[in-house]
Every structure is written in C-alpha cells, then in structure tokens.
Amino acid sequence: MTPPVLLVSGASRGIGLGIAHYFLDRGFIVCGCSRSESALARPDYDHALVDVSDEKAVRLWVQSVARRFARIDVAVCSAGLVKSALLLAVTPTAILDEFLATNVRGTFNVCREVSKVMVRQRSGRIITVSSLAVPLHLKGAAAYAGSKAAVEEMTRVLARELAPAGVTCNIVSPALVMTDAAHAMGPEWADWLVQQQTIHRTVTVEEVCNVIAFFAAPESAAVTGQTVNMCHVG
C-alpha cells in the first residue's frame, strides 16, 4: 500500500519541523518547504526552498509534489510569522504587511493550490495553524492576531467550498509552544501568557501534532470547519 503524502509549510524549524518528524515516524511521505534550508535528512522526506507569500513558487511546489506522488492526502499550513508585541498605536504598517504576507497570503496560496489537487482526487485534509492570541484578544498582538483570525475565517469558508469534494478543512490553535520565536519574546511574556490559559503550562509540539493527526485521520471525514483551541482560554 502506498504511504499517505503529507505536505507541510514552514518545515525547517519550530512546529513545522515537529510535524514533519511526527508524521515521518508514522509512515507518511512528507514534503516540506521553508525559506531556508532544512537540516532534516530522513527517508521519505523532501524539502523545497519556497517563500509561501510567492504564489508562483507555491504553485510550482505543490504541482511538483502532486506529479511526483500522484496525490496529496494532507496539507498543514504551518508557516507563520511571530515577531512583535507592539501596541497597535505604535505598530508600523511594515510589520502589519509582513504578517499579512506570510500568515494570510502564504496560507491562502498553499490552500488554493492544494485545493486544486484534492478536488481532482476527491479527498484530502487541509489543516491551518492559528493561535490563542485570537480568542485572548492579546494586547500587543493586533497585527498578529488579526492575521490569524483571517486564517481561521478563510479555513471555515474553504471547508464549505470543498465539502462536496470530500475534502475537510480544520484549524488547530496551539497554546504556547516554546519555539525559537517564543523564546525571543522573553520569559516574562511567556509566563504571563501561560497564566491566561485554562491549563497553566506550555504545550509540546507532539501535543499539537496529536490534534493535527485527529483532523488528518480517515475517521475524521465528517469533521470540518472546526477549531481546536488548546489549553482553552476564557
């Protein structure tokens, strides 16, 4: 039996790299992309240098994966930018543009190109990655949370559009994962954020992958347009 094929953006580090390892360990063929080289060298892993905000580059990448393996079973849009905690009044427009380019346009590009493949094959799973900054209405995250809220709504609309083709679209909203980006924000910020969560601790990449695996499972064919907020807030 041919192994299932998973495509993941932002795979060179952080959650994206963890997703690649997790699904390789479970027998998937994994095709990852990022703007930088990847140190991941494992059988059944292929890496491409792609800026997800570049629609032509994304189109060529997704088409190359589909031609090589004849299908794409799961796509995880993990590429994302986290770089500031500025109040809206002092947030430069350039920072907003960066969030929109990577988080919104990048996710849009991947979802659009993968959708074409999955509609043709009449099956597939698309999982996008949001953030607890959205339900927290996190102070200092107007640009970031706004971009992730756009990702959530885009995914819900896509879920309706692709349901007739047997394709599901869902969202995982991780609690704080101590990636390089989180470490860069500083320990005081991380401690404060954890206290806003119902479960007062960080989560591991493996725990995030567990939610993704649920959405990706064949048995989850009736689950679409849903958001799982890890370490619930509110």
Side-chain angles (χ1 to χ4, degrees):
M1 182 176 178
T2 304
V5 178
L6 180 140
L7 180 149
V8 56
S9 63
S12 64
R13 59 183 180 175
I15 293 175
L17 178 59
I19 291 167
H21 278 295
Y22 183 94
F23 283 94
L24 285 166
D25 289 344
R26 285 154 181 80
F28 281 67
I29 294 169
V30 177
C31 297
C33 84
S34 66
R35 290 182 294 184
S36 58
E37 295 284 356
S38 173
L40 177 56
R42 292 183 56 177
D44 292 328
Y45 180 72
D46 182 76
H47 193 82
L49 293 178
V50 176
D51 181 343
V52 292
S53 69
D54 182 337
E55 64 176 333
K56 182 178 179 181
V58 171
R59 183 181 305 117
L60 292 174
W61 174 51
V62 173
Q63 288 176 348
S64 70
V65 172
R67 281 196 302 269
R68 180 176 177 185
F69 299 105
R71 63 184 301 106
I72 297 172
D73 298 288
V74 183
V76 185
C77 299
S78 179
L81 180 66
V82 183
K83 66 175 295 181
S84 84
L86 297 174
L87 298 180
L88 187 148
V90 293
T91 298
T93 303
I95 289 180
L96 172 63
D97 289 342
E98 288 185 64
F99 280 124
L100 294 177
T102 299
N103 298 353
V104 181
R105 187 164 73 238
T107 299
F108 178 91
N109 288 339
V110 174
C111 286
R112 183 182 61 192
E113 298 309 316
V114 166
S115 294
K116 298 172 185 177
V117 177
M118 293 182 174
V119 166
R120 287 197 300 269
Q121 68 193 25
R122 309 298 292 178
S123 67
R125 303 281 185 267
I126 295 174
I127 298 112
T128 60
V129 178
S130 184
S131 168
L132 282 189
V134 176
L136 273 174
H137 313 298
L138 193 62
K139 187 167 64 174
Y144 174 69
S147 70
K148 287 298 189 179
V151 166
E152 291 194 15
E153 184 59 17
M154 185 195 317
T155 306
R156 286 189 284 266
V157 171
L158 192 61
R160 284 191 174 274
E161 294 177 348
L162 300 186
V167 180
T168 67
C169 306
N170 292 288
I171 307 141
V172 57
S173 181
L176 182 61
V177 181
M178 291 311 296
T179 60
D180 291 343
H183 281 294
M185 300 297 284
E188 291 184 3
W189 174 85
D191 290 343
W192 175 84
L193 185 55
V194 164
Q195 292 308 309
Q196 311 310 305
Q197 301 170 179
T198 303
I199 300 174
H200 296 162
R201 65 169 177 84
T202 59
V203 298
T204 66
V205 173
E206 289 73 19
E207 289 174 306
V208 178
C209 289
N210 179 61
V211 178
I212 294 171
F214 165 73
F215 284 142
E219 296 82 3
S220 297
V223 180
T224 196
Q226 301 303 307
T227 303
V228 170
N229 288 310
M230 301 179 68
C231 294
H232 174 262
V233 298

